[in-house]
Amino acid sequence: MNDVQSICFPIPSQQSELYFPLYIPLCLIMALNASVLSNKTLRDYRNTIHQHNDKFIKNMPKVEMHVHIEGTMTPELRWELAQRRGESVLNINTQQPCETLSELKSTYELLNDLDAGGVDGGMQRFFKLYYGGFSVLQDEEDFYRLAMNYFRKAASMNIRYCEPFFDPQGHTRRGVPFKTMMDGFKRAQSEAVRDLGVHCQWMMCMLRDMSPESAMDHYLQALPYRDMIVGIGLDSLEVDRPPLLFEDVFLRARKDGFKITCHCDVGDKDTLRNIGQVVDQLGGSGADRIDHGLHAADDSFLLQRVKGKDLGMTICPWGYLCYSGEAQIIDRVRTLFNAGIRIAIGSDDPSYMEDIWLNNSLYLLRVLGNFTDAEFVQLQRNAVDICWASDDIKAAILKELEDF
Ligand code: ADE
Ligand code: ZN
């Protein structure tokens, strides 16, 4: 049952105190009306979705396709991995070693700091924190523990199959061999199927703020791990790094039989152009899926192209709310869903986004988007349709979903 009725959210401010002279053009009024959520409102949302007890969402069998394995690095795990080799963890605010786990935890508190940075500043801060977390990943055991930590969490959320992203360049540039990382992931992947019933295939992301040559070099290093890696994506800071800059790698990946996808982050200044490249051009004829790309909802031509090609989209609403602060985020998710586009919800970087995991993000759609039980089942059908699991795994999850 939908227990949304018992939740009381503050209504976002609509700038009611502003006075608009009659001659202000309509588009400007619309822009001003793009209301921005206060941090207090975001914190209220966060508390509500963090504490939810929605049995339907919890028990529903699920697939997760948009989660960065490095974005699941909890402060507890980071502390444990550092302690394991007698190292300290740097506090990104003071540049001094953290004295305690709670000091480290405080550096993960995004909403306390967002006022200072705005969207761009917020993303810069996010990447500083996110890449900072890589430093404790050094040997095979570290990568194994990171992946197992996520798989255990996934099992507790009834996730049956997932396609986590990983960022190999963020590790090799620190001197970690490609093989070390893959060996750790492989051991965790086998254990997750055997002990937890969680199936997984990996999505290798190229860092778009590094060079296309580095991307190609890492693509070639990944070829011996074809049995683990199902697709190639592109992530990291998007500013002035369009998808087609990496076209050589995507062309090659498609020719070799990998699936291809690409991040189009919400709020990037060139997002409509970038979504267009991903839809129609990447890999020669357009990608197999789009990561984010929420602003397609603002452009009827793009929306029709996505729909016409029946492209799946992975959508992570909580991250957009945190980093763009725009109140209209959930409206856009609704627009895509109601247009019949096969969107699937993800958690992106749950540890760096206020500890909000897949079930919490689904609950956000319950409380802010009035998604019903039937619509949650449809979202999971979408996820099964657009994931790249084997036919057997897809059929088993669909059956379980229908029985549920
Ligand atoms: N890498 C990890 N998280 C990311 C995000 N939210 N956007 C782009 N690149 C990322
Ligand atoms: Zn992402």
Side-chain angles (χ1 to χ4, degrees):
M1 277 301 292
N2 184 342
D3 50 2
V4 65
Q5 290 84 354
S6 61
I7 306 293
C8 179
F9 275 122
I11 297 169
S13 121
Q14 298 287 330
Q15 285 117 4
S16 54
E17 68 277 21
L18 291 182
Y19 163 68
F20 299 118
L22 285 177
Y23 56 80
I24 289 184
L26 186 62
C27 60
L28 182 54
I29 292 177
M30 285 167 69
L32 288 169
N33 263 336
S35 62
V36 173
L37 299 173
S38 71
N39 277 355
K40 176 179 177 317
T41 304
L42 280 173
R43 214 170 283 123
D44 287 340
Y45 289 175
R46 186 262 176 205
N47 291 341
T48 302
I49 64 174
H50 198 246
Q51 288 153 9
H52 83 95
N53 189 26
D54 187 313
K55 299 246 167 2
F56 192 88
I57 289 176
K58 283 185 175 170
N59 294 336
M60 182 171 56
K62 285 172 279 276
V63 165
E64 179 161 41
M65 274 166 286
H66 196 133
V67 59
H68 298 260
I69 199 69
E70 295 92 344
T72 68
M73 173 74 80
T74 57
E76 291 82 1
L77 179 65
R78 189 159 160 199
W79 188 256
E80 174 194 312
L81 296 182
Q83 299 255 304
R84 183 177 158 251
R85 57 172 63 83
E87 290 176 358
S88 55
V89 181
L90 205 63
N91 179 327
I92 59 157
N93 300 322
T94 63
Q95 292 301 313
Q96 297 296 317
C98 289
E99 303 266 340
T100 59
L101 172 59
S102 38
E103 182 185 340
L104 175 62
K105 279 185 177 169
S106 73
T107 66
Y108 275 56
E109 285 170 10
L110 160 80
L111 295 179
N112 285 348
D113 280 9
L114 268 191
D115 275 338
V119 179
D120 287 348
M123 280 313 274
Q124 303 272 7
R125 182 187 180 282
F126 162 77
F127 281 116
K128 210 164 138 194
L129 199 58
Y130 172 80
Y131 290 120
F134 283 36
S135 63
V136 291
L137 296 167
Q138 295 177 27
D139 61 19
E140 187 261 5
E141 176 72 16
D142 296 325
F143 287 93
Y144 162 80
R145 288 199 199 185
L146 173 69
M148 268 329 279
N149 191 55
Y150 169 67
F151 291 140
R152 269 188 227 103
K153 181 82 187 175
S156 78
M157 293 188 289
N158 285 309
I159 292 175
R160 305 284 185 253
Y161 171 79
C162 55
E163 289 172 1
F165 297 114
F166 67 105
D167 288 336
Q169 291 153 292
H171 306 297
T172 57
R173 70 184 172 192
R174 298 179 296 111
V176 176
F178 204 97
K179 181 176 183 321
T180 301
M181 169 183 66
M182 297 312 290
D183 286 351
F185 289 158
K186 174 137 201 136
R187 181 153 65 97
Q189 178 176 3
S190 310
E191 207 170 300
V193 183
R194 192 190 63 214
D195 298 347
L196 303 170
V198 177
H199 295 261
C200 159
Q201 297 188 92
W202 296 92
M203 293 289 303
M204 183 168 103
C205 273
M206 304 306 178
L207 298 187
R208 69 203 311 161
D209 39 13
M210 293 187 72
S211 68
E213 292 74 24
S214 166
M216 183 60 90
D217 173 53
H218 284 77
Y219 174 79
L220 297 174
Q221 290 190 57
L223 291 177
Y225 303 97
R226 282 228 46 176
D227 60 329
M228 295 170 65
I229 301 171
V230 69
I232 305 296
L234 188 69
D235 68 357
S236 206
L237 200 58
E238 190 168 336
V239 186
D240 296 327
R241 306 297 283 173
L244 287 183
L245 199 58
F246 297 85
E247 180 64 345
D248 284 354
V249 172
F250 284 110
L251 279 171
R252 171 80 198 260
R254 171 154 283 157
K255 184 164 133 303
D256 291 344
F258 288 100
K259 300 291 186 187
I260 64 175
T261 178
C262 178
H263 276 56
C264 297
D265 276 355
V266 170
D268 184 76
K269 65 184 168 59
D270 298 313
T271 193
L272 292 181
R273 179 201 65 190
N274 291 356
I275 297 170
Q277 289 184 2
V278 175
V279 173
D280 283 320
Q281 291 173 274
L282 206 66
S285 56
D288 300 299
R289 206 157 71 198
I290 311 172
D291 294 319
H292 306 313
L294 185 74
H295 287 283
D298 304 343
D299 181 305
S300 57
F301 176 75
L302 266 182
L303 195 74
Q304 286 315 315
R305 292 292 303 146
V306 174
K307 176 133 177 76
K309 296 187 91 173
D310 201 15
L311 274 181
M313 302 179 80
T314 60
I315 297 289
C316 308
W318 174 245
Y320 315 152
L321 273 184
C322 283
Y323 284 101
S324 82
E326 275 191 48
Q328 286 81 7
I329 292 296
I330 306 296
D331 299 343
R332 294 193 180 96
V333 178
R334 251 284 162 220
T335 301
L336 297 176
F337 182 81
N338 288 356
I341 290 172
R342 290 193 291 176
I343 61 168
I345 304 301
S347 60
D348 217 356
D349 301 285
S351 292
Y352 298 109
M353 292 175 177
E354 298 278 318
D355 201 27
I356 295 301
W357 300 76
L358 178 59
N359 285 357
N360 311 103
S361 291
L362 289 169
Y363 190 63
L364 179 72
L365 295 187
R366 175 86 94 194
V367 293
L368 286 189
N370 294 317
F371 274 65
T372 63
D373 289 352
E375 288 175 327
F376 284 119
V377 172
Q378 183 57 45
L379 282 171
Q380 286 315 307
R381 278 202 204 101
N382 292 345
V384 176
D385 284 346
I386 70 175
C387 80
W388 296 319
S390 67
D391 289 346
D392 287 356
I393 291 176
K394 284 188 179 213
I397 303 173
L398 272 185
K399 166 140 193 351
E400 200 189 340
L401 195 57
E402 298 314 323
D403 292 348
F404 172 80

